[in-house]
Amino acid sequence: MSRVSTGPSTVPTTAHALLRRLHDHGVRTVFGVVGREAASILFDEAEGIDFVLTRHEFTAGVAADVLARITGRPQACWATLGPGMTNLSTGVATSILDRSPVIALAAQSESHDIFPNDTHQCLDSVAVMDPMTKYSVELQRPDDITDLVDSAMTAAMTEPVGPSFISLPVDLLGGAIDTSVVHPPARTPAKPIGAVEAGWEQAADQTVDLLKSAQHPVLVVGAAAIRSGAVPTIRALAERLQIPVITTYIAKGVLPHGHELNYGAVTGYMDGILSFPALETLFGPADVILTIGYDYAEDLRPSMWNRGGEKTTVRVSPTANPIPRVYRPDVDIVTDVQMFMEYLDSRTADVAAKTPHDITPLRERIGEFLADPAQYDDGMRVHQVMDCMNTVMEETAESGEGTIVSDIGFFRHYGVLFARADQPFGFLTSAGCSSFGYGLPAAMGAQLARPGQPTFLIAGDGGFHSNSADLETIARLNLPIVTVVVNNDTNGLIELYQNLGHHRSFDPAVKFTGVDFVALARANGVEAIKAGTREELLAALRKGAGLGRPFVVEVPVNYDFQAGGFGALSI
């Protein structure tokens, strides 16, 4: 193979300044796919930044999203111009709805040849990205690049956190910069910047009075509480006042999995999956509901907690309420969540502990599912798979560690219900965007963020194969991710919706022919095995957890669809 080597460029360019400023802001990894802009940027122009080549730009965007979520620091992804940018856009959409501070970068046609929809591979990138970013801009002058990165960082780290986008014409990217200009040091917020409404303390005092008189208060916690650093204070207050904690999908782990006050994460599918009135059990007796860091995008809807008797609701968030049509709380507190929790903790020192309402029947029902000993001829059930994953995660992870990642599909809601999460962001899924194919790149981001901890991924055959090319990426990086592909050759969640709407299914819209995922994994350099029983799956997971390199387990599964019990999905 012919390779042409030259020495490093002696003239500082926009590419040098871009990578240096990203590094100054704490970015150490750029995920992406490079195109012809390689003539302008090699990604070795600044020391201390690694470029991770992915097989698809969507993978780059999601890996950056999850690395940013876990570290709490902005992360970067890259795409080439035109179709590379549009491929990246789904990763960008994921980070705006899943709330991660991502700096998305894409090449653009030469500055003198930007005629969107007429020039080869030229699209109006800023216009494409603008509706789903916090900040979207195109570089006009090479010397502006440092300021644009600073603006992108500030926007991305302002609540609700999300992506910023910079479009980079290839000629300007390789253009010389004025090295005599001295820029101030990079300032990256230590945590997301949020709104603080004047007089919030008075509203907080109302909350104190509500807690004093409440019989069965409940904390409903979202991811903004994690981003604010409020988890230790939430745990301490919940334990002191004996207040149950319920979370959104993505906030699982605010209390450890086995904590007596951890009443679990909520999904609108739970009543149907369990054939049990779970939402009524969780929320029916509650009289005061404090939504701490609540975000409607995380898919815990007010209608889900509106069960049983009348309730007083309190909203605590670092942003003004964007959804008054569906959630108008009795008390609305716009402030930093950690600051509120510290205030609440200090003002309730004399409040007597509550008596948490009893959810024993729900816990027993969940226990029945996880202990299901049956061997089914048509494949394992997903609750059995989750139980095996939980068992091996508990055996493998140190206390308060480990990450279970879920791709998108019906099985995801089993993960919301059943997956262990012993730390914040110990369970990861695309709660806001539900991006199909999320699992593999999310597991990459999680493993890179927590290199000494086990990462388990559960993915369906549909979502996994939509993005399975990046098996080669995790093999190349030797990331010890244990992946379980639950395979029914079907888009199972869509089959459920067919049954909900029509009481029957239509195979051409949901059924696939079989894929040998063991062979697929091996073809990409990943060891793999098929498991059809609990015993086989447990053995495979234990093997994978001990390998220190990627491992895939294919598990034939099936669902027992029941059209009833999904009323909570109505909007």
Side-chain angles (χ1 to χ4, degrees):
M1 179 171 59
S2 174
R3 302 178 73 97
V4 178
S5 298
T6 62
S9 173
T10 58
V11 179
T13 66
T14 302
H16 291 80
L18 168 68
L19 294 175
R20 280 200 302 267
R21 200 58 168 183
L22 288 173
H23 185 273
D24 290 345
H25 280 286
V27 174
R28 297 293 180 266
T29 306
V30 179
F31 303 90
V33 181
V34 187
R36 68 180 180 86
E37 70 279 4
S40 299
I41 185 169
L42 278 172
F43 291 96
D44 66 354
E45 288 86 352
E47 291 187 6
I49 288 187
D50 294 324
F51 187 85
V52 173
L53 175 64
T54 61
R55 288 283 180 164
H56 197 281
E57 296 85 352
F58 169 68
T59 297
V62 171
D65 170 300
V66 170
L67 186 58
R69 178 188 310 282
I70 293 176
T71 62
R73 314 304 299 155
Q75 304 294 336
C77 53
W78 181 277
T80 191
L81 62 163
M85 178 273 301
T86 57
N87 283 346
L88 185 66
S89 67
T90 305
V92 171
T94 303
S95 61
I96 191 67
L97 273 167
D98 288 348
R99 314 302 192 214
S100 289
V102 169
I103 309 301
L105 308 161
Q108 176 59 290
S109 299
E110 285 77 3
S111 58
H112 54 80
D113 198 31
I114 298 176
F115 301 106
N117 301 341
D118 288 306
T119 301
H120 174 69
Q121 285 197 316
C122 183
L123 299 166
D124 190 340
S125 302
V126 171
V128 170
M129 292 292 193
D130 186 65
M132 52 187 171
T133 56
K134 307 291 298 294
Y135 175 82
S136 185
V137 67
E138 191 159 85
L139 180 68
Q140 303 292 329
R141 299 175 302 180
D143 291 334
D144 290 343
I145 188 61
T146 297
D147 295 332
L148 296 188
V149 172
D150 289 351
S151 294
M153 287 287 178
T154 301
M157 286 292 285
T158 299
E159 291 282 9
V161 299
S164 291
F165 173 72
I166 303 176
S167 173
L168 298 156
V170 293
D171 58 323
L172 302 186
L173 183 62
I177 56 171
D178 183 355
T179 57
S180 67
V181 177
V182 178
H183 294 279
R187 295 183 58 191
T188 314
K191 72 177 192 178
I193 302 165
V196 177
E197 186 176 14
W200 68 268
E201 295 91 345
Q202 285 76 23
D205 288 337
Q206 291 180 256
T207 306
V208 172
D209 292 337
L210 287 170
L211 278 181
K212 287 179 178 178
S213 60
Q215 289 204 339
H216 296 301
V218 170
L219 301 182
V220 172
V221 181
I226 301 174
R227 294 194 295 269
S228 75
V231 170
T233 312
I234 290 172
R235 288 184 177 181
L237 182 132
E239 289 172 347
R240 180 170 59 81
L241 296 181
Q242 288 294 287
I243 300 176
V245 173
I246 296 171
T247 72
T248 61
Y249 301 176
I250 203 63
K252 277 171 69 79
V254 166
L255 292 185
H257 181 74
H259 198 291
E260 63 177 1
L261 294 171
N262 180 3
Y263 278 24
V266 168
T267 165
Y269 296 80
M270 62 197 310
D271 286 14
I273 289 172
L274 296 170
S275 297
F276 185 87
L279 291 170
E280 177 68 33
T281 304
L282 288 173
F283 292 114
D287 52 358
V288 173
I289 293 181
L290 276 67
T291 61
I292 309 297
Y294 175 74
D295 188 338
Y296 188 62
E298 292 173 37
D299 208 27
L300 196 170
R301 298 173 184 155
S303 59
M304 295 179 188
W305 68 63
N306 190 24
R307 307 297 169 114
E310 188 174 338
K311 306 176 196 314
T312 303
T313 57
V314 179
R315 174 183 177 271
V316 183
S317 174
T319 64
N321 184 7
I323 52 161
R325 284 197 303 163
V326 294
Y327 181 27
R328 193 175 291 278
D330 298 292
V331 182
D332 196 356
I333 303 170
V334 179
T335 192
D336 177 76
V337 177
Q338 167 67 350
M339 195 157 55
F340 168 82
M341 290 305 305
E342 290 176 346
Y343 186 91
L344 187 65
D345 190 49
S346 68
R347 293 300 194 276
T348 56
D350 60 345
V351 175
K354 306 297 177 179
T355 302
H357 63 282
D358 185 21
I359 63 164
T360 299
L362 174 58
R363 285 176 164 157
E364 290 176 346
R365 182 61 174 159
I366 289 172
E368 290 173 10
F369 265 71
L370 292 177
D372 180 4
Q375 185 162 328
Y376 299 91
D377 293 336
D378 57 351
M380 289 183 70
R381 298 302 185 255
V382 176
H383 52 267
Q384 296 175 315
V385 175
M386 288 306 315
D387 185 54
C388 292
M389 293 177 70
N390 286 342
T391 297
V392 180
M393 179 61 77
E394 185 177 15
E395 294 171 355
T396 305
E398 297 293 330
S399 177
E401 294 188 352
T403 311
I404 294 179
V405 180
S406 174
D407 207 322
I408 308 306
F410 192 30
F411 62 89
R412 186 260 292 269
H413 300 280
Y414 289 74
V416 174
L417 282 174
F418 304 134
R420 293 186 65 86
D422 287 329
Q423 64 178 325
F425 301 137
F427 174 76
L428 293 170
T429 188
S430 180
C433 200
S434 286
S435 303
F436 205 51
Y438 170 91
L440 195 57
M444 288 173 52
Q447 188 62 57
L448 288 168
R450 296 168 172 161
Q453 300 184 28
T455 300
F456 290 179
L457 164 63
I458 182 169
D461 54 285
F464 182 75
H465 203 29
S466 75
N467 204 23
S468 58
D470 274 292
L471 276 169
E472 185 275 332
T473 306
I474 67 169
R476 178 171 14 106
L477 299 177
N478 198 33
L479 297 177
I481 297 163
V482 179
T483 299
V484 177
V485 181
V486 288
N487 185 9
N488 64 346
D489 296 325
T490 305
N491 277 339
L493 184 61
I494 311 310
E495 187 177 28
L496 169 65
Y497 275 102
Q498 288 180 336
N499 279 275
L500 290 178
H502 308 281
H503 300 286
R504 63 186 180 90
S505 60
F506 179 59
D507 286 355
V510 294
K511 294 289 185 182
F512 300 108
T513 54
V515 173
D516 186 339
F517 288 102
V518 171
L520 176 72
R522 291 172 178 168
N524 283 275
V526 177
E527 188 173 345
I529 196 170
K530 183 177 283 190
T533 66
R534 273 183 176 272
E535 293 73 22
E536 291 173 352
L537 179 54
L538 284 168
L541 290 170
R542 287 170 177 141
K543 175 181 178 179
L547 277 179
R549 59 181 185 269
F551 189 70
V552 169
V553 187
E554 180 183 350
V555 183
V557 299
N558 223 316
Y559 295 103
D560 299 315
F561 287 125
Q562 300 181 28
F566 294 96
L569 300 177
S570 299
I571 299 174

